[in-house]
Amino acid sequence: MPFVGGFRLVSLTVATCVTLAVASFAEADQKADDEAYERPYTICGPNQVDRGTYNGYRRYHAYCHVCHGPDGLGSSYAPNLVESLKVMKRDDFSQVVAGGRQNIQAGKESVMPAFYEVADVMNYLEDIYSYLKARSDGKLGRGRPERCPS
Ligand code: HEC
C-alpha cells in the first residue's frame, strides 16, 4: 500500500514542521521574556523614562550614591555600576544588594552593605535595577531624568 505509506510520511512531515514551528515560537517568546526581564525600563524620549525607572533614579541617589557615586559612575570606594551591569545579570544584582558583599584583601576593606531589611530599597529593587540598566545600556544620560508624559 504505497499510498498509505506516502500519506503517513506526509502527515509525519507536517507534524514535525508544526512541532518545530511551535518550538521556535516558544523560543522566541522566551527570548523576548528574558530581554524584558533584563531590560525592564522604557525610554519614551530624550532623557524621558517610565515611572519605575524614574523612581529608581531617586532611590539610587538616596541609598546608593554615597558610595557608588552620582549617576552610578563609581567612586574610589565602590565600583562603577554602569560598568558592572554590562556583565552582571539581574538576579546576581538582586542577590548582592539584598545580601551584601565583603572583600577583605591586603588590609583594604571593601564592604557592600546588605539591604534585605531596608524596605525602601527592597520594595523598589526592580526600579533601581531599571535605572542602572538604562544607564549601563547607554540609553539614559547623566543627571535627573524626566518622566514620560502619562
Ligand atoms: C557603604 C557603601 C555602599 C553603599 C551605600 C552601597 N554599596 Fe554597593 N558596593 C559597595 C562596595 C564597596 C562594593 C564592592 C564590594 C566588593 O569589593 O566585593 C559594592 C558592590 C556592589 C555591587 C556589585 C558590583 C560588581 O561589579 O560586582 C552592586 C550591584 C551594588 N554594590 C549595588 C548597590 C546598590 C543598588 C546600592 C543602593 C541600594 C548600593 N550598592 C549601596 C559599597 C556600597
Side-chain angles (χ1 to χ4, degrees):
M1 298 273 262
F3 177 74
V4 173
F7 177 74
R8 280 234 179 101
L9 191 63
V10 168
S11 59
L12 201 68
T13 313
V14 169
T16 311
C17 286
V18 169
T19 312
L20 285 180
V22 168
S24 73
F25 272 128
E27 228 168 74
D29 268 3
Q30 184 60 46
K31 252 188 153 172
D33 284 353
D34 289 351
E35 181 71 11
Y37 184 67
E38 292 295 336
R39 298 177 205 287
Y41 56 84
T42 304
I43 307 286
C44 51
N47 217 34
Q48 273 188 346
V49 296
D50 62 281
R51 185 182 282 263
T53 306
Y54 179 81
N55 184 41
Y57 161 83
R58 291 187 45 230
R59 307 265 164 198
Y60 173 84
H61 287 89
Y63 291 95
C64 320
H65 118 280
V66 288
C67 292
H68 289 281
D71 309 309
L73 290 174
S75 72
S76 56
Y77 183 68
N80 178 327
L81 296 179
V82 174
E83 287 303 318
S84 293
L85 291 207
K86 287 182 180 159
V87 289
M88 194 173 210
K89 293 274 172 207
R90 180 166 155 186
D91 289 345
D92 299 329
F93 171 86
S94 304
Q95 219 172 332
V96 174
V97 180
R101 212 165 72 186
Q102 289 195 22
N103 187 0
I104 298 159
Q105 274 181 338
K108 187 176 179 268
E109 197 176 320
S110 166
V111 179
M112 163 69 193
F115 281 91
Y116 68 93
E117 284 181 317
V118 184
D120 269 354
V121 168
M122 294 312 291
N123 290 342
Y124 305 104
L125 211 49
E126 167 158 0
D127 292 349
I128 298 173
Y129 176 80
S130 299
Y131 163 69
L132 289 170
K133 190 63 181 165
R135 292 274 304 122
S136 169
D137 287 344
K139 306 284 186 198
L140 181 64
R142 298 190 59 172
R144 178 183 286 269
E146 287 168 34
R147 267 169 45 184
C148 297
S150 47

